[in-house]
Amino acid sequence: MSDRIQNTGPAAPPARPGGLSLEGLHGTVRLPEMAATPWRQYLAFFGPALLISVGYMDPGNWATDLQAGAQFKYQLLWIVGVSSLMAIFLQVISARLGLATGKDLAQCCRDYLPAWTRWPNYLSCELAIAACDLAEILGSAVAIHLLFPRISLLLAVCITGLDVLVLLTLQRFGIRMIEAVVLVLVATIAGCYLIEIFGLAQTTPAVLELGRGLLAPDLPAFFRSKDLVFVAIGIIGATVMPHNLYLHSALVQTRQLRKDEPAAIRQAIHYNTLDTVVALSVAFFVNAAILVLAAIVFFGKYQVTLGSGQVVSFNANADWIQVAYLTLAPLLGTVLASLLFAVALLASGQSSTITGTLAGQVVMEGFMHWKIQPWIRRLITRLCAIAPAILFIAVRGDNSINDLLTLSQVVLAMQLPLAMLPLMYFACSKRHMGSQRIGKFLMVTGWASCLLITALDLYGLPDALHDAWSILGGR
């Protein structure tokens, strides 16, 4: 059976030796016969979108969600919904690209775009992956420091580098083991927030008010408020991760697809679309829960005095992750609230770092056809993220966390259009996608999402670059 999908368009260039996405994991999951029950089919395809979903609830999203809820209560809940919807459209298209072409997005960029674009695209992808890894390192390190106060934040950053050994072990057991571990971590995050929101009497939300915030936003008031628009841009900008668009198109190829059967490809597209909708709906729930928790606990308050006498202020420049941990217990009257928050944060950082490594492998092999051992690849990526974290924290102390997250978001905003635009170009092309080219609905929603996110990134980029320059200058 060919390693390429036979489509109805012109023949794609022949596969180069070793040109498979995630070669050690490619086509390793057996699928049931097409006559099997829908449930068995769904379980066989379940997994790739789960790995993608963790990028939409990584520590980089937490600060913006916490700030949105604390400052504006439920007014930006609809923005969380819209950004999640755009993420679903783009990830569905990414999965379809991988299934229809037999290539991931990085391979398509290498094979079909002008040769001069290869190095700029590759280097920008690597920079974006390192930026994502930085946010994940910081989230995990902060969680470790909060759970074990005797471990300094600087030491906690160093400890996060050891997860390279965990990933190396997991990859030896195959993609299903990786998916199982991530499922446990995602379930931990979701479970913690289920308890936070519905298990504690003090945090039970008003359902009608939630519904209005999600389904009936006050749009005139929204556009009149620069502060609302600014935080909304932050939420949308932190939602779609560029490396996820590359990774999803590769992960769907870990299944043993019957590539010579058009019906099998259509079935794979159907179940991967369902997988994407379900997984990213869970990510929406987590992000919405973070915002709702912040709205219930912090909205209308300006500061809280801890038992130690320390006064914690709530303002736009606050380090909301640490503020939330420190103040949830005294405000809600139970230590469980802060403990659940820290456990969920640690699970978020660790699940995101697994997918970041896989994305790095896809990008390197797809653009450059370089093959290196996964643990070496992970070590390189981790060092690129740990080095600036250690330097900033050593020089400027624990208060540099927000500054580092700001820098990572600037890098992601600059790289995201370089991933979205080629994705939409290939997905709309009958030459590359054949009969599986996306239809009008995905074409319209995909391009609308792409152009809106790009416009918002460009709109917010001058301020972001100014903040980044101030941070690098030590001001």
Side-chain angles (χ1 to χ4, degrees):
M1 186 182 293
S2 171
D3 285 325
R4 298 283 176 180
I5 295 176
Q6 302 298 318
N7 58 44
T8 58
R16 295 179 179 86
L20 299 176
S21 295
L22 297 175
E23 188 170 7
L25 304 173
H26 188 98
T28 55
V29 179
R30 297 183 61 184
L31 298 177
E33 295 298 322
M34 292 184 63
T37 63
W39 178 244
R40 282 191 63 204
Q41 297 283 2
Y42 174 69
L43 288 181
F45 285 103
F46 173 81
L50 176 72
L51 298 184
I52 295 301
S53 72
V54 299
Y56 293 95
M57 48 180 138
D58 73 341
N61 291 303
W62 287 44
T64 53
D65 292 333
L66 288 168
Q67 181 183 358
Q71 289 187 250
F72 307 110
K73 204 170 184 181
Y74 303 135
Q75 291 185 68
L76 290 176
L77 190 58
W78 69 281
I79 290 290
V80 176
V82 168
S83 60
S84 298
L85 199 59
M86 290 192 294
I88 288 174
F89 293 143
L90 291 171
Q91 293 300 159
V92 165
I93 294 170
S94 173
R96 192 176 186 127
L97 175 72
L99 293 168
T101 65
K103 300 181 180 184
D104 60 58
L105 179 57
Q107 291 172 331
C108 286
C109 289
R110 177 187 172 97
D111 291 343
Y112 302 133
L113 296 182
W116 65 267
T117 65
R118 186 181 309 155
W119 273 99
N121 273 341
Y122 169 65
L123 293 176
S124 67
C125 284
E126 288 286 16
L127 192 59
I129 290 170
C132 288
D133 210 32
L134 176 60
E136 291 145 13
I137 284 172
L138 295 173
S140 296
V142 168
I144 292 171
H145 174 62
L146 296 176
L147 290 169
F148 307 99
R150 292 187 179 182
I151 298 177
S152 69
L153 191 59
L154 188 60
L155 178 58
V157 167
C158 297
I159 291 173
T160 60
L162 298 177
D163 67 5
V164 64
L165 302 175
V166 176
L167 185 64
L168 178 61
T169 302
L170 289 178
Q171 283 196 293
R172 290 180 176 178
F173 289 98
I175 189 66
R176 276 310 216 184
M177 177 59 73
I178 296 175
E179 291 169 355
V181 171
V182 171
L183 176 61
V184 171
L185 293 172
V186 170
T188 299
I189 300 169
C192 286
Y193 274 101
L194 276 172
I195 297 172
E196 291 268 27
I197 300 297
F198 300 107
L200 302 177
Q202 306 94 317
T203 57
T204 302
V207 177
L208 290 179
E209 196 173 1
L210 277 179
R212 285 194 296 270
L214 180 62
L215 303 175
D218 187 348
L219 294 180
F222 170 78
F223 287 109
R224 286 196 302 267
S225 172
K226 290 185 177 179
D227 290 337
L228 275 169
V229 173
F230 181 77
V231 177
I233 291 174
I235 292 174
I236 293 175
T239 298
V240 181
M241 296 287 101
H243 68 277
N244 273 344
L245 300 179
Y246 293 95
L247 180 60
H248 203 173
S249 57
L251 287 174
V252 293
Q253 298 178 56
T254 58
R255 273 54 183 171
Q256 291 180 1
L257 299 172
R258 292 175 283 272
K259 299 176 184 179
D260 55 346
E261 300 178 25
I265 299 303
R266 289 195 297 271
Q267 184 186 61
I269 290 173
H270 169 76
Y271 282 107
N272 274 285
T273 299
L274 179 60
D275 186 33
T276 301
V277 172
V278 171
L280 293 192
S281 296
V282 173
F284 161 72
F285 161 77
V286 170
N287 284 313
I290 295 171
L291 186 150
V292 169
L293 181 66
I296 294 172
V297 177
F298 302 123
F299 181 73
K301 300 182 178 69
Y302 301 97
Q303 64 181 36
V304 63
T305 302
L306 304 181
S308 62
Q310 177 186 357
V311 177
V312 179
S313 300
F314 306 147
N315 54 63
N317 297 320
D319 181 350
W320 280 104
I321 290 178
Q322 295 208 52
V323 165
Y325 176 81
L326 291 173
T327 58
L328 280 174
L331 286 173
L332 297 177
T334 173
V335 176
L336 181 62
S338 292
L339 179 62
L340 289 170
F341 180 86
V343 170
L345 180 61
L346 182 60
S348 171
Q350 290 305 295
S351 57
S352 300
T353 198
I354 291 174
T355 58
T357 300
L358 295 174
Q361 185 177 340
V362 168
V363 165
M364 178 179 286
E365 294 178 355
F367 276 113
M368 310 308 295
H369 288 175
W370 293 339
K371 303 287 185 181
I372 63 175
Q373 291 294 321
W375 71 270
I376 298 177
R377 163 75 227 181
R378 182 63 191 151
L379 187 60
I380 293 172
T381 305
R382 211 53 163 162
L383 287 176
C384 289
I386 283 180
I390 291 176
L391 180 62
F392 264 76
I393 294 172
V395 173
R396 300 178 59 181
D398 294 358
N399 294 328
S400 60
I401 296 296
N402 262 8
D403 292 343
L404 286 168
L405 287 175
T406 298
L407 285 175
S408 69
Q409 294 307 311
V410 171
V411 173
L412 292 174
M414 294 174 67
Q415 205 279 327
L416 188 51
L418 298 179
M420 292 189 297
L421 294 173
L423 172 66
M424 292 306 305
Y425 165 70
F426 294 131
C428 295
S429 170
K430 190 172 182 64
R431 174 188 173 192
H432 303 306
M433 295 283 287
S435 62
Q436 301 304 332
R437 179 181 61 172
I438 60 175
K440 290 183 179 179
F441 176 76
L442 278 180
M443 195 177 296
V444 171
T445 54
W447 274 115
S449 302
C450 175
L451 296 176
L452 177 60
I453 293 172
T454 300
L456 291 175
D457 279 345
L458 293 175
Y459 178 81
L461 192 57
D463 288 336
L465 288 174
H466 178 270
D467 291 343
W469 183 254
S470 299
I471 291 166
L472 292 172
R475 295 191 294 274

